[in-house]
Amino acid sequence: MSKVLPNRKSLHADYQKHLPLWSLTALTLEKEVHELLQVLPSEPRVKGRVKSFESYFKKYVRLLKAGDFDRINDLIGVRVICSFLEDLSAAEELIKKHFKVIEIERKGWGHTIEFGYESTHLLIEIPEKMAKSKKLKCDIAEIQVRTILQDVWAEVEHELIYKVEFTPFDAPLRRKLAAINASLSMADILFQDIRSYQRRLNGEMGKRRDSFFQKIEESTDAVLFKDSKKKKKQTRAKRDEGLGLSMDDLLLEALSLHNENQFDEAIAIYSQILDMKPDDAVSALIFKHRGMAYFARSYYKEAIEDFSKSLKLDPKSYKAAYYEGIVHSVLQKYSKALDSFNSSLEINPYQPYCLFRRGQAYFHLEDIPKALADCESAISLEPFEAALKFRTLLLSKLKM
């Protein structure tokens, strides 16, 4: 018995009839998915679409030929393009929590090529609030979740192989395609490794800054407000010398030791990095970190020297100038502190904490009006508690 062929004209008319509502649903779904995934660290690109009639008809015929035609589930689709591999699972979990997921399929895009590229396809039930199912004549949509590089491979492979039904029999050509695919896969892995390293590095730097600023408060605010604070005991632990590690690994190790208050060990590794003769930009950064470690150990002369070297290598480093001013303030050399704070603010005038510390220096030099002006400027940028408390003190001095 011969199979009944599909009526292309009738299918096209039906497609055109429903296309406006399908397009509206795809756009609404796109917006909802985009809003849902904004919480991810790297906001993905989201694009909704309705399958073209040509693609729809080809799939319709293909399913009829296979004898398993039920319905076309990806007529309405949304593609989610993530920056990093780690974002894929996070995006998938958010989608599963927000929508009713009917099926999850993890596809390989390589039909004939080794190292088939993965892409996650989630079939979801279209929420009733978007469109009434009967009018829509479609109650299921597909959400594809990929990385940028996975999407590149999928698009190129679709054009080279799937779209034109091309099967490369030539072994060298197959190897070329496989090599491209493998390179993209490796690039995704490397990007993720760099991302993970960057996150860990930023985390360690954040901890280091917190401990540094805590010592600043203990060393300067105690003098200003006559508060006494107990210092934490420093813990010491032996670490490997880091032989054979890369400069990045050494920096991460030094920051980790720094954050554990093992300042001497951190200083040793910072010095080891400087002995490797890095370029000026890296050297400026390391001098700044080592200066902060010296400051934590109360080696103030060495700290000032390192901050000065950092600023010489990187004249735009307003933080190095600021830190230099902090050390001068701790040593109660307020005129020198003013010079450093002035240099920092010339580079970047929008520093509330630098304005606050310069105001403190003016206060100790008994220039209350200038101290108050700096304090007000700091508060206008960021009304933090210490500045507000300092303003109260200054106003009381002016009334005396």
Side-chain angles (χ1 to χ4, degrees):
M1 181 182 292
S2 61
K3 293 183 179 180
V4 177
L5 297 176
N7 188 322
R8 181 185 176 97
K9 185 176 180 180
S10 176
L11 284 171
H12 186 260
D14 188 63
Y15 175 92
Q16 289 296 121
K17 175 183 176 182
H18 292 92
L19 182 58
L21 188 53
W22 289 341
S23 298
L24 178 61
T25 304
L27 180 61
T28 306
L29 194 59
E30 173 193 323
K31 290 180 179 178
E32 187 159 331
V33 172
H34 180 265
E35 184 176 343
L36 173 68
L37 301 182
Q38 282 185 327
V39 298
L40 295 178
S42 299
E43 187 176 325
R45 189 169 75 251
V46 181
K47 181 64 178 176
R49 63 101 182 103
V50 176
K51 188 182 283 292
S52 69
F53 177 74
E54 287 300 322
S55 296
Y56 166 77
F57 186 73
K58 285 181 180 179
K59 187 162 188 177
Y60 187 95
V61 172
R62 190 167 66 251
L63 291 174
L64 282 178
K65 183 179 178 182
D68 60 355
F69 182 80
D70 180 17
R71 58 184 169 183
I72 297 178
N73 292 322
D74 62 345
L75 181 61
I76 295 174
V78 173
R79 185 172 297 173
V80 176
I81 310 299
C82 299
S83 298
F84 300 97
L85 288 171
E86 67 179 2
D87 297 328
L88 298 180
S89 57
E92 181 180 328
E93 288 303 311
L94 287 168
I95 292 168
K96 288 194 295 188
K97 287 180 181 179
H98 187 76
F99 296 101
K100 182 178 179 180
V101 178
I102 300 169
E103 179 182 320
I104 299 177
E105 184 178 3
R106 307 187 192 284
K107 294 187 177 183
W109 283 88
H111 301 282
T112 60
I113 311 304
E114 296 83 7
F115 310 104
Y117 226 28
E118 291 286 327
S119 178
T120 301
H121 293 198
L122 300 97
L123 294 182
I124 66 162
E125 186 176 287
I126 297 175
E128 290 185 8
K129 63 180 180 180
M130 292 188 183
K132 294 181 180 179
S133 296
K134 291 182 179 179
K135 289 185 178 181
L136 190 62
K137 201 180 179 181
C138 176
D139 56 0
I140 293 177
E142 180 183 74
I143 300 179
Q144 300 175 357
V145 183
R146 309 171 183 162
T147 65
I148 295 171
L149 295 182
Q150 287 173 346
D151 190 56
V152 168
W153 172 255
E155 291 294 331
V156 173
E157 191 207 28
H158 184 77
E159 290 293 323
L160 287 179
I161 299 173
Y162 180 74
K163 189 174 180 180
V164 295
E165 298 181 356
F166 167 65
T167 303
F169 294 105
D170 182 63
L173 182 57
R174 287 172 59 84
R175 284 196 293 269
K176 288 178 183 178
L177 290 168
I180 294 171
N181 186 288
S183 296
L184 290 171
S185 297
M186 180 57 68
D188 253 340
I189 294 171
L190 292 175
F191 281 143
Q192 181 58 57
D193 286 346
I194 293 170
R195 175 71 163 184
S196 299
Y197 172 84
Q198 180 191 55
R199 182 176 288 112
R200 186 180 170 195
L201 183 65
N202 288 339
E204 295 294 345
M205 285 185 172
K207 293 177 186 176
R208 173 194 48 75
R209 281 192 294 269
D210 290 344
S211 63
F212 179 72
F213 291 133
Q214 182 179 351
K215 181 173 175 67
I216 291 174
E217 292 171 3
E218 291 172 352
S219 302
T220 59
D221 293 356
V223 175
L224 190 66
F225 299 113
K226 309 300 181 184
D227 290 337
S228 60
K229 298 181 180 180
K230 295 182 180 179
K231 294 184 178 181
K232 296 181 180 178
K233 286 186 177 181
Q234 297 174 4
T235 59
R236 296 289 301 276
K238 291 185 178 180
R239 289 287 183 103
D240 295 334
E241 292 183 5
L243 296 175
L245 296 178
S246 70
M247 195 178 295
D248 286 332
D249 291 332
L250 286 171
L251 176 56
L252 197 55
E253 177 70 3
L255 289 170
S256 180
L257 288 165
H258 197 150
N259 292 331
E260 293 170 9
N261 295 337
Q262 298 183 53
F263 302 116
D264 290 333
E265 289 85 348
I267 289 168
I269 297 180
Y270 289 138
S271 300
Q272 183 180 345
I273 296 173
L274 289 169
D275 288 341
M276 297 167 73
K277 306 297 182 184
D279 62 34
D280 287 354
V282 175
S283 294
L285 179 69
I286 301 304
F287 276 123
K288 186 167 61 178
H289 288 323
R290 194 175 70 172
M292 295 169 83
Y294 276 137
F295 176 78
R297 289 289 283 118
S298 299
Y299 298 156
Y300 299 130
K301 178 183 176 183
E302 291 83 353
I304 289 174
E305 288 176 353
D306 270 4
F307 292 140
S308 178
K309 289 175 182 176
S310 178
L311 189 58
K312 185 176 181 180
L313 290 169
D314 180 10
K316 296 295 183 182
S317 179
Y318 60 90
K319 287 185 179 179
Y322 169 56
Y323 296 158
E324 185 182 65
I326 289 294
V327 183
H328 285 309
S329 293
V330 171
L331 295 172
Q332 299 184 15
K333 297 179 178 179
Y334 298 114
S335 294
K336 288 187 176 181
L338 278 179
D339 291 338
S340 297
F341 291 140
N342 287 336
S343 296
S344 181
L345 290 165
E346 282 178 11
I347 301 168
N348 178 11
Y350 306 105
Q351 298 181 75
Y353 287 91
C354 189
L355 287 163
F356 169 62
R357 298 299 174 187
R358 190 175 70 174
Q360 286 187 334
Y362 278 129
F363 173 82
H364 290 295
L365 292 171
E366 299 183 353
D367 192 338
I368 306 301
K370 285 186 178 179
L372 182 60
D374 271 354
C375 186
E376 293 289 5
S377 295
I379 291 171
S380 68
L381 290 171
E382 184 179 339
F384 54 96
E385 185 178 353
L388 295 170
K389 185 178 178 182
F390 185 41
R391 181 172 63 180
T392 300
L393 174 64
L394 292 171
L395 290 173
S396 67
K397 293 287 185 181
L398 287 174
K399 292 178 181 178
M400 293 176 64

